[in-house]
Amino acid sequence: MSLLVVGLSHRSAPVSVLDRASLSLDAQTKLLQDAVAAEPATEAAVLATCNRIELYADVDKFHAGVAELSTLLAQHSGVGLEELTPHLYVHYEDRAVHHMFSVACGLDSMVVGEGQILGQIKDSLARAQGLHTAGRLMNDLFQQSLRVGKRAHSETGIDRAGQSLVSFGLEQLALGTPVAAWARGKKALIIGAGSMSSLAAATLARAGVSEIVIANRTADRAERLVTLLTEQYGQRPAEGDGTEVLARAVPMGSVPSELTRADVVVSCTGATGLVLTAGAIAAGVEGRVGTQPETARGEVPDTVRGEVPEARTASLPPVGTGTDEDCPLDLTSVPPGFSVMGEAAVAGMDAATLEQHATWAAGSAVDRRRGGRRGADAEGTDPELIGALAATAASVGRIPERRRPEPVAEPPRPEPVLHLLDLAMPRDIDAAAHRLAGVRLVDIETLAEASADAPMAADVDQVRRIVSDEVAAFGAAQRAAHITPTVVALRTMAADVVAGEIARLEGRLPGLDDKHRAEITQTVRRVVDKLLHAPTVRVKQLAAEPGGAGYADALRTLFDLDPETVASVSRAEESNEKNAKNATIANIAENRGPA
């Protein structure tokens, strides 16, 4: 069996695809159940975050596994397979382990080095364990990923390479101002009470906001978060910094009214539809500032649409202010509708006359004598270009004048009065809010663009070395574990041979006393153990090396081991591990007592 991961993330897919492909908890449950029910996979786990959806599985066939997992992702995400396939990535065996460890260390995160992914990996493993879709490989992989991630954060400065998605989002809202200075005194509305929302509330509380309002569909969770905030940050005046956080919980129905009071809104819920529409946000801003928000970037100027109002047409300035006497053309012979500014008007002119015409069009007086002296080869002219222009005009006829559209002054965009941070996937806040005056929206797509050019810390290289070392160690351990049942089966077979030969000896020597029988038995066993020791130790070492998976097959072939015996050893080990785990859980529950 081999590890396979099929997924998509902010690195492989646009936010619009990730948005539609996001999986609810119910969808994740059904995906896991269908994955282990499929023929190629025996165990599976899903890692679904705001910027990635990955399905891990232990498969016995690579191509069949890729096809099956891709199809299942498409079915449960609601995005068609043809549309989803170009954005999927596939990692297999050691590459899959390398990818998982990189994710755990924050190297593959939107904000490099953020530590929230460790909690999400832990939750994913717990979900797979609860559904009984995680076997030995998934447990080993996810638990080792947590250890590798913790090692990276403790042994390096990867935390300095980036911060949590919440902190990064707040920095984008603050536009270069320190978050603590920007947030101090502001009123915050947090929609949702999950881990991301809780982190956002705590971050804003530390930054010194004056009020935090928690809106959540489940009132108990909102109240619990309010209690935590009050316990941790509500007594701050006693510490002498003069800041107090007033936290309170409200039902989701109160969000529209709270929008009129809030300066900062952070939303991260599991809703499948929009939590805040552009209309609700516009109404909130209107209720706050007393004016109807306008679509600052949404209005299309009339000139862009090709419609010029009469008032603007009447006020168009004249093309030039020179007198008719300055014009090199015979204006009396110009037919109606002919543009004296068009390219056809200058056909046949020499360089000096063309310069005179340009000066007249610009509204300046022309020195005819100076113009005459410059000639066709004067500085600043190109006779070949002028000739080409004249030839074009003569061949295609009169070329209409091409005027630049009248410049339209854009009204300055007002300073935002409402700052929105959308950390949900799919999005909670309508993307149309980007166009509302008085509103600044930062969402996953904005963060992806902002983080693309984020500098990488030097510690990232050290983390990459840790990942490489851990991948090699994990692969060696897995390969060694793969051959262990074969070695156990070999030793079991040897023990059976010894027992059989001792029984034959007793039949031939019925008068053998117990002391001599025990001595002979021990001697035979020592001989067998010494003969098997070096080969079994060496085969474990060889199997732990890359490409060593074939040594188990070679061992079974050389000693003619029954495959069913090897399989029964594996099942016995898994059963022992499961029993030990259940006993541990029972002991923990017993020590805790009744809930």
Side-chain angles (χ1 to χ4, degrees):
M1 303 299 285
S2 301
L3 177 65
L4 174 68
V5 55
V6 177
L8 67 161
S9 71
H10 64 284
R11 297 185 183 276
S12 68
V15 174
S16 58
V17 175
L18 277 173
D19 195 344
R20 292 188 293 117
S22 60
L23 298 171
S24 65
L25 290 179
D26 288 342
Q28 292 179 43
T29 298
K30 294 176 182 176
L31 174 59
L32 284 175
Q33 292 170 340
D34 289 350
V36 295
E39 181 179 347
T42 57
E43 51 180 299
V46 172
L47 179 59
T49 72
C50 58
N51 53 23
R52 77 177 62 253
I53 303 164
E54 296 176 342
L55 178 57
Y56 292 78
D58 189 6
V59 300
D60 56 0
K61 299 176 183 176
F62 172 74
H63 294 290
V66 171
E68 185 65 29
L69 298 190
S70 301
T71 302
L72 289 173
L73 275 176
Q75 289 175 352
H76 292 279
S77 68
V79 179
L81 183 59
E82 291 184 358
E83 181 182 2
L84 192 65
T85 298
H87 306 296
L88 293 177
Y89 48 77
V90 175
H91 299 297
Y92 190 56
E93 295 187 332
D94 284 352
R95 289 302 306 170
V97 177
H98 189 281
H99 174 76
M100 182 58 165
F101 288 179
S102 298
V103 169
C105 292
L107 292 179
D108 197 59
S109 296
M110 187 176 293
V111 181
V112 174
E114 60 94 8
Q116 288 176 305
I117 187 65
L118 290 176
Q120 294 161 335
I121 291 174
K122 185 177 180 181
D123 292 342
S124 296
L125 176 58
R127 186 176 302 111
Q129 289 173 337
L131 294 170
H132 305 292
T133 64
R136 175 185 293 177
L137 181 57
M138 292 299 110
N139 279 291
D140 289 350
L141 175 68
F142 276 67
Q143 288 171 357
Q144 186 62 24
S145 296
L146 293 173
R147 287 190 284 268
V148 174
K150 291 175 182 177
R151 179 189 170 192
H153 284 280
S154 63
E155 296 183 11
T156 74
I158 188 67
D159 292 330
R160 296 192 297 269
Q163 60 278 82
S164 72
L165 205 59
V166 171
S167 301
F168 188 56
L170 292 175
E171 285 186 359
Q172 297 304 306
L173 283 180
L175 292 175
T177 304
V179 173
W182 170 80
R184 184 166 295 276
K186 284 184 167 59
K187 297 177 181 178
L189 170 62
I190 309 295
I191 304 178
S195 58
M196 293 281 280
S197 298
S198 301
L199 180 59
T203 303
L204 289 169
R206 287 194 297 269
V209 295
S210 62
E211 181 184 37
I212 296 179
V213 178
I214 309 295
N216 193 57
R217 298 189 187 279
T218 306
D220 291 345
R221 297 190 67 181
E223 292 288 354
R224 186 161 58 249
L225 180 54
V226 166
T227 301
L228 291 174
L229 291 172
T230 303
E231 291 175 352
Q232 295 185 37
Y233 307 103
Q235 304 301 321
R236 294 173 68 178
E239 300 172 6
D241 65 358
T243 303
E244 182 176 5
V245 176
L246 175 63
R248 57 189 175 89
V250 299
M252 289 294 290
S254 300
V255 167
S257 62
E258 294 295 339
L259 282 175
T260 63
R261 304 177 65 256
D263 302 300
V264 185
V265 178
V266 180
S267 186
C268 186
T269 72
T272 55
L274 292 176
V275 174
L276 290 179
T277 64
I281 297 168
V285 175
E286 180 184 8
R288 177 186 177 89
V289 301
T291 58
Q292 178 65 33
E294 296 178 0
T295 309
R297 292 194 297 250
E299 290 294 334
V300 182
D302 291 330
T303 52
V304 175
R305 293 196 300 260
E307 301 171 3
V308 182
E310 292 183 4
R312 290 186 182 178
T313 304
S315 61
L316 288 175
V319 175
T321 56
T323 63
D324 291 348
E325 289 77 17
D326 297 326
C327 182
L329 299 176
D330 183 4
L331 297 179
T332 58
S333 62
V334 173
F338 185 86
S339 172
V340 297
M341 291 294 294
E343 292 177 1
V346 300
M349 289 184 180
D350 58 21
T353 309
L354 185 62
E355 182 184 83
Q356 179 183 346
H357 180 273
T359 306
W360 171 80
S364 303
V366 178
D367 186 342
R368 290 179 182 274
R369 291 171 299 175
R370 180 176 176 273
R373 285 195 302 270
R374 292 182 68 170
D377 294 325
E379 182 181 357
T381 64
D382 189 336
E384 292 183 4
L385 290 178
I386 294 171
L389 175 64
T392 300
S395 62
V396 301
R398 178 162 52 107
I399 301 175
E401 175 190 355
R402 293 181 292 190
R403 297 177 186 263
R404 292 182 179 179
E406 176 191 0
V408 178
E410 286 240 5
R413 185 171 176 83
E415 288 295 320
V417 297
L418 183 60
H419 300 80
L420 307 172
L421 177 59
D422 186 1
L423 299 175
M425 184 63 70
R427 66 177 75 243
D428 278 349
I429 301 176
D430 192 344
H434 276 293
R435 298 192 295 271
L436 294 175
V439 174
R440 174 165 173 76
L441 170 62
V442 170
D443 52 20
I444 294 295
E445 191 166 8
T446 309
L447 293 176
E449 294 173 356
S451 64
D453 300 324
M456 301 282 283
D459 299 275
V460 169
D461 289 336
Q462 186 177 352
V463 174
R464 286 175 176 157
R465 288 193 292 271
I466 289 176
V467 168
S468 296
D469 292 343
E470 291 285 354
V471 169
F474 183 83
Q478 289 295 310
R479 287 187 289 269
H482 179 67
I483 203 171
T484 297
T486 303
V487 172
V488 171
L490 174 60
R491 289 190 171 274
T492 301
M493 184 189 75
D496 292 341
V497 171
V498 169
E501 290 303 316
I502 294 298
R504 284 182 70 243
L505 182 62
E506 289 179 351
R508 290 184 177 183
L509 301 174
L512 194 65
D513 58 62
D514 293 341
K515 180 180 179 181
H516 289 92
R517 183 186 300 108
E519 188 67 31
I520 294 173
T521 302
Q522 188 176 6
T523 299
V524 174
R525 285 175 178 170
R526 281 201 195 112
V527 171
V528 172
D529 287 342
K530 287 183 178 180
L531 287 174
L532 291 180
H533 176 72
T536 53
V537 170
R538 184 57 180 154
V539 80
K540 286 184 177 180
Q541 294 172 345
L542 293 172
E545 296 176 359
Y551 285 100
D553 295 333
L555 204 62
R556 287 193 295 269
T557 301
L558 287 172
F559 289 92
D560 195 22
L561 297 176
D562 184 4
E564 181 56 33
T565 303
V566 177
S568 64
V569 173
S570 299
R571 289 194 296 269
E573 290 183 353
E574 292 176 0
S575 178
N576 291 336
E577 290 178 357
K578 183 179 293 185
N579 292 337
K581 179 182 174 183
N582 292 337
T584 302
I585 295 174
N587 289 334
I588 293 174
E590 183 178 352
N591 293 333
R592 285 179 177 175

